[in-house]
Short mmCIF file of all heavy atoms in Angstrom, two decimals:
data_model
loop_
_atom_site.label_atom_id
_atom_site.label_comp_id
_atom_site.label_asym_id
_atom_site.label_seq_id
_atom_site.Cartn_x
_atom_site.Cartn_y
_atom_site.Cartn_z
N PRO A 40 -34.08 -15.86 -28.40
CA PRO A 40 -33.55 -15.85 -27.02
C PRO A 40 -33.40 -17.30 -26.46
O PRO A 40 -34.23 -18.18 -26.86
CB PRO A 40 -34.63 -15.12 -26.25
CG PRO A 40 -35.52 -14.44 -27.32
CD PRO A 40 -35.25 -15.13 -28.61
N SER A 41 -32.43 -17.57 -25.70
CA SER A 41 -32.20 -18.89 -25.19
C SER A 41 -33.13 -19.08 -23.95
O SER A 41 -33.80 -18.17 -23.45
CB SER A 41 -30.77 -19.04 -24.78
OG SER A 41 -30.49 -18.22 -23.61
N TRP A 42 -33.19 -20.28 -23.48
CA TRP A 42 -34.00 -20.64 -22.33
C TRP A 42 -33.50 -19.85 -21.12
O TRP A 42 -34.26 -19.52 -20.18
CB TRP A 42 -34.10 -22.16 -22.10
CG TRP A 42 -32.81 -22.74 -21.68
CD1 TRP A 42 -31.84 -23.22 -22.47
CD2 TRP A 42 -32.31 -22.92 -20.34
NE1 TRP A 42 -30.80 -23.67 -21.79
CE2 TRP A 42 -31.03 -23.47 -20.41
CE3 TRP A 42 -32.79 -22.56 -19.05
CZ2 TRP A 42 -30.25 -23.79 -19.34
CZ3 TRP A 42 -32.02 -22.89 -17.97
CH2 TRP A 42 -30.80 -23.46 -18.11
N LYS A 43 -32.23 -19.54 -21.05
CA LYS A 43 -31.65 -18.83 -19.87
C LYS A 43 -32.22 -17.37 -19.89
O LYS A 43 -32.50 -16.82 -18.82
CB LYS A 43 -30.14 -18.83 -19.91
CG LYS A 43 -29.54 -20.14 -19.71
CD LYS A 43 -28.00 -20.13 -19.82
CE LYS A 43 -27.39 -21.51 -19.67
NZ LYS A 43 -26.01 -21.46 -19.79
N GLN A 44 -32.28 -16.79 -21.04
CA GLN A 44 -32.81 -15.43 -21.11
C GLN A 44 -34.28 -15.41 -20.72
O GLN A 44 -34.74 -14.54 -19.95
CB GLN A 44 -32.63 -14.83 -22.50
CG GLN A 44 -31.20 -14.53 -22.79
CD GLN A 44 -31.07 -14.03 -24.28
OE1 GLN A 44 -31.69 -14.56 -25.17
NE2 GLN A 44 -30.14 -13.08 -24.47
N TRP A 45 -35.05 -16.45 -21.20
CA TRP A 45 -36.48 -16.50 -20.76
C TRP A 45 -36.62 -16.75 -19.31
O TRP A 45 -37.52 -16.08 -18.73
CB TRP A 45 -37.22 -17.60 -21.55
CG TRP A 45 -37.51 -17.22 -22.98
CD1 TRP A 45 -36.89 -17.72 -24.09
CD2 TRP A 45 -38.52 -16.35 -23.39
NE1 TRP A 45 -37.45 -17.13 -25.18
CE2 TRP A 45 -38.43 -16.29 -24.77
CE3 TRP A 45 -39.44 -15.54 -22.73
CZ2 TRP A 45 -39.25 -15.48 -25.48
CZ3 TRP A 45 -40.24 -14.78 -23.44
CH2 TRP A 45 -40.14 -14.66 -24.84
N LEU A 46 -35.79 -17.54 -18.71
CA LEU A 46 -35.78 -17.75 -17.21
C LEU A 46 -35.51 -16.45 -16.50
O LEU A 46 -36.17 -16.08 -15.54
CB LEU A 46 -34.86 -18.84 -16.87
CG LEU A 46 -34.76 -19.26 -15.40
CD1 LEU A 46 -36.08 -19.83 -14.93
CD2 LEU A 46 -33.66 -20.22 -15.18
N LEU A 47 -34.53 -15.74 -16.95
CA LEU A 47 -34.12 -14.42 -16.36
C LEU A 47 -35.31 -13.47 -16.43
O LEU A 47 -35.63 -12.84 -15.46
CB LEU A 47 -32.89 -13.87 -17.00
CG LEU A 47 -32.46 -12.45 -16.52
CD1 LEU A 47 -32.02 -12.52 -15.07
CD2 LEU A 47 -31.32 -11.93 -17.37
N TYR A 48 -35.96 -13.33 -17.63
CA TYR A 48 -37.02 -12.40 -17.87
C TYR A 48 -38.22 -12.81 -16.95
O TYR A 48 -38.83 -11.98 -16.31
CB TYR A 48 -37.40 -12.32 -19.27
CG TYR A 48 -36.40 -11.80 -20.27
CD1 TYR A 48 -36.31 -12.27 -21.56
CD2 TYR A 48 -35.45 -10.91 -19.87
CE1 TYR A 48 -35.42 -11.79 -22.42
CE2 TYR A 48 -34.45 -10.45 -20.73
CZ TYR A 48 -34.46 -10.92 -21.99
OH TYR A 48 -33.49 -10.39 -22.93
N SER A 49 -38.57 -14.04 -16.96
CA SER A 49 -39.66 -14.61 -16.15
C SER A 49 -39.45 -14.40 -14.69
O SER A 49 -40.30 -13.90 -13.94
CB SER A 49 -39.90 -16.06 -16.44
OG SER A 49 -40.07 -16.33 -17.76
N THR A 50 -38.22 -14.66 -14.19
CA THR A 50 -37.92 -14.42 -12.78
C THR A 50 -38.00 -12.97 -12.38
O THR A 50 -38.62 -12.58 -11.36
CB THR A 50 -36.50 -14.89 -12.46
OG1 THR A 50 -36.51 -16.29 -12.89
CG2 THR A 50 -36.14 -14.79 -11.02
N THR A 51 -37.55 -12.08 -13.28
CA THR A 51 -37.66 -10.63 -13.03
C THR A 51 -39.12 -10.17 -12.97
O THR A 51 -39.46 -9.42 -12.10
CB THR A 51 -36.85 -9.89 -14.13
OG1 THR A 51 -35.52 -10.33 -14.17
CG2 THR A 51 -36.93 -8.38 -13.88
N ILE A 52 -39.92 -10.68 -13.86
CA ILE A 52 -41.27 -10.26 -13.88
C ILE A 52 -41.99 -10.73 -12.58
O ILE A 52 -42.76 -10.03 -11.93
CB ILE A 52 -42.03 -10.80 -15.14
CG1 ILE A 52 -41.45 -9.98 -16.34
CG2 ILE A 52 -43.56 -10.65 -15.01
CD1 ILE A 52 -41.91 -10.54 -17.64
N VAL A 53 -41.75 -12.05 -12.20
CA VAL A 53 -42.37 -12.57 -10.98
C VAL A 53 -41.98 -11.71 -9.74
O VAL A 53 -42.76 -11.47 -8.92
CB VAL A 53 -42.00 -14.10 -10.82
CG1 VAL A 53 -42.36 -14.64 -9.46
CG2 VAL A 53 -42.70 -14.88 -11.91
N LEU A 54 -40.65 -11.42 -9.64
CA LEU A 54 -40.17 -10.69 -8.51
C LEU A 54 -40.83 -9.24 -8.48
O LEU A 54 -41.14 -8.77 -7.40
CB LEU A 54 -38.69 -10.51 -8.57
CG LEU A 54 -37.86 -11.79 -8.15
CD1 LEU A 54 -36.38 -11.61 -8.32
CD2 LEU A 54 -38.15 -12.21 -6.71
N LEU A 55 -40.98 -8.63 -9.61
CA LEU A 55 -41.63 -7.32 -9.63
C LEU A 55 -43.06 -7.45 -9.20
O LEU A 55 -43.58 -6.58 -8.48
CB LEU A 55 -41.55 -6.72 -11.03
CG LEU A 55 -40.13 -6.20 -11.47
CD1 LEU A 55 -40.17 -5.80 -12.91
CD2 LEU A 55 -39.69 -5.07 -10.57
N LEU A 56 -43.72 -8.54 -9.60
CA LEU A 56 -45.12 -8.68 -9.27
C LEU A 56 -45.22 -8.91 -7.68
O LEU A 56 -46.16 -8.36 -7.07
CB LEU A 56 -45.73 -9.86 -9.97
CG LEU A 56 -46.06 -9.62 -11.46
CD1 LEU A 56 -46.50 -10.86 -12.14
CD2 LEU A 56 -47.11 -8.53 -11.65
N LEU A 57 -44.33 -9.75 -7.15
CA LEU A 57 -44.32 -9.98 -5.73
C LEU A 57 -44.06 -8.71 -4.90
O LEU A 57 -44.69 -8.50 -3.90
CB LEU A 57 -43.29 -11.06 -5.36
CG LEU A 57 -43.70 -12.49 -5.67
CD1 LEU A 57 -42.48 -13.39 -5.41
CD2 LEU A 57 -44.88 -12.94 -4.88
N CYS A 58 -43.08 -7.89 -5.38
CA CYS A 58 -42.81 -6.63 -4.70
C CYS A 58 -44.04 -5.70 -4.75
O CYS A 58 -44.41 -5.06 -3.78
CB CYS A 58 -41.61 -5.99 -5.31
SG CYS A 58 -40.08 -6.81 -4.95
N SER A 59 -44.73 -5.67 -5.90
CA SER A 59 -45.94 -4.87 -5.99
C SER A 59 -46.98 -5.32 -5.08
O SER A 59 -47.66 -4.54 -4.44
CB SER A 59 -46.41 -4.82 -7.43
OG SER A 59 -45.40 -4.34 -8.34
N PHE A 60 -47.19 -6.62 -5.10
CA PHE A 60 -48.21 -7.22 -4.19
C PHE A 60 -47.87 -6.97 -2.77
O PHE A 60 -48.78 -6.62 -1.94
CB PHE A 60 -48.36 -8.73 -4.46
CG PHE A 60 -49.41 -9.40 -3.73
CD1 PHE A 60 -50.78 -9.09 -4.04
CD2 PHE A 60 -49.14 -10.25 -2.66
CE1 PHE A 60 -51.76 -9.78 -3.36
CE2 PHE A 60 -50.07 -10.89 -1.99
CZ PHE A 60 -51.39 -10.64 -2.37
N SER A 61 -46.68 -7.09 -2.35
CA SER A 61 -46.26 -6.87 -0.94
C SER A 61 -46.45 -5.42 -0.55
O SER A 61 -46.95 -5.08 0.47
CB SER A 61 -44.78 -7.18 -0.75
OG SER A 61 -44.55 -8.53 -0.99
N THR A 62 -46.16 -4.47 -1.51
CA THR A 62 -46.37 -3.04 -1.18
C THR A 62 -47.83 -2.75 -1.03
O THR A 62 -48.25 -2.02 -0.11
CB THR A 62 -45.73 -2.21 -2.33
OG1 THR A 62 -44.38 -2.52 -2.41
CG2 THR A 62 -45.90 -0.75 -2.10
N LEU A 63 -48.63 -3.36 -1.84
CA LEU A 63 -50.10 -3.20 -1.79
C LEU A 63 -50.64 -3.74 -0.42
O LEU A 63 -51.45 -3.04 0.24
CB LEU A 63 -50.80 -3.91 -2.95
CG LEU A 63 -52.30 -3.79 -3.02
CD1 LEU A 63 -52.76 -2.37 -3.25
CD2 LEU A 63 -52.85 -4.69 -4.14
N ILE A 64 -50.21 -4.86 -0.06
CA ILE A 64 -50.70 -5.45 1.24
C ILE A 64 -50.19 -4.55 2.39
O ILE A 64 -50.94 -4.28 3.32
CB ILE A 64 -50.10 -6.88 1.39
CG1 ILE A 64 -50.74 -7.85 0.38
CG2 ILE A 64 -50.33 -7.41 2.82
CD1 ILE A 64 -52.25 -7.99 0.60
N TYR A 65 -48.95 -4.17 2.25
CA TYR A 65 -48.36 -3.27 3.39
C TYR A 65 -49.13 -1.96 3.57
O TYR A 65 -49.45 -1.51 4.62
CB TYR A 65 -46.88 -3.00 3.11
CG TYR A 65 -46.25 -2.21 4.23
CD1 TYR A 65 -46.01 -2.81 5.49
CD2 TYR A 65 -45.90 -0.91 4.09
CE1 TYR A 65 -45.45 -2.07 6.47
CE2 TYR A 65 -45.34 -0.15 5.01
CZ TYR A 65 -45.06 -0.78 6.26
OH TYR A 65 -44.49 -0.02 7.32
N THR A 66 -49.61 -1.35 2.44
CA THR A 66 -50.32 -0.11 2.51
C THR A 66 -51.77 -0.37 2.96
O THR A 66 -52.37 0.51 3.53
CB THR A 66 -50.32 0.65 1.20
OG1 THR A 66 -50.81 -0.22 0.11
CG2 THR A 66 -48.89 1.10 0.87
N LEU A 67 -52.37 -1.44 2.57
CA LEU A 67 -53.71 -1.70 3.00
C LEU A 67 -53.92 -2.24 4.45
O LEU A 67 -54.87 -2.00 5.07
CB LEU A 67 -54.37 -2.77 2.06
CG LEU A 67 -54.61 -2.28 0.67
CD1 LEU A 67 -55.15 -3.46 -0.20
CD2 LEU A 67 -55.43 -1.05 0.57
N LEU A 68 -52.83 -2.87 4.95
CA LEU A 68 -52.89 -3.35 6.33
C LEU A 68 -51.69 -2.71 7.16
O LEU A 68 -50.76 -3.32 7.46
CB LEU A 68 -52.68 -4.86 6.40
CG LEU A 68 -53.79 -5.65 5.68
CD1 LEU A 68 -53.44 -7.14 5.65
CD2 LEU A 68 -55.17 -5.43 6.36
N PRO A 69 -51.84 -1.38 7.39
CA PRO A 69 -50.68 -0.79 8.15
C PRO A 69 -50.58 -1.23 9.56
O PRO A 69 -51.48 -1.68 10.17
CB PRO A 69 -51.08 0.69 8.09
CG PRO A 69 -52.62 0.72 7.99
CD PRO A 69 -52.96 -0.49 7.21
N LEU A 70 -49.32 -1.28 9.99
CA LEU A 70 -49.09 -1.69 11.38
C LEU A 70 -48.86 -0.43 12.26
O LEU A 70 -48.09 0.51 11.84
CB LEU A 70 -47.84 -2.56 11.45
CG LEU A 70 -47.93 -3.92 10.73
CD1 LEU A 70 -46.60 -4.60 10.77
CD2 LEU A 70 -49.01 -4.80 11.43
N LYS A 71 -49.42 -0.37 13.31
CA LYS A 71 -49.31 0.73 14.28
C LYS A 71 -48.26 0.30 15.28
O LYS A 71 -48.38 -0.77 15.88
CB LYS A 71 -50.65 0.98 14.95
CG LYS A 71 -50.62 2.10 15.87
CD LYS A 71 -52.02 2.22 16.56
CE LYS A 71 -52.01 3.22 17.68
NZ LYS A 71 -53.16 3.23 18.46
N THR A 72 -47.25 1.12 15.53
CA THR A 72 -46.29 0.79 16.50
C THR A 72 -46.93 0.75 17.97
O THR A 72 -47.91 1.46 18.12
CB THR A 72 -45.13 1.80 16.52
OG1 THR A 72 -45.61 3.12 16.66
CG2 THR A 72 -44.35 1.69 15.18
#
Side-chain angles (χ1 to χ4, degrees):
S41 69
W42 67 270
K43 292 178 183 177
Q44 288 175 324
W45 282 108
L46 182 65
L47 176 66
Y48 297 150
S49 300
T50 304
T51 303
I52 290 170
V53 167
L54 288 175
L55 287 173
L56 288 173
L57 284 174
C58 289
S59 300
F60 184 70
S61 299
T62 302
L63 179 65
I64 293 296
Y65 183 71
T66 56
L67 292 179
L68 298 175
L70 294 175
K71 180 181 169 190
T72 57

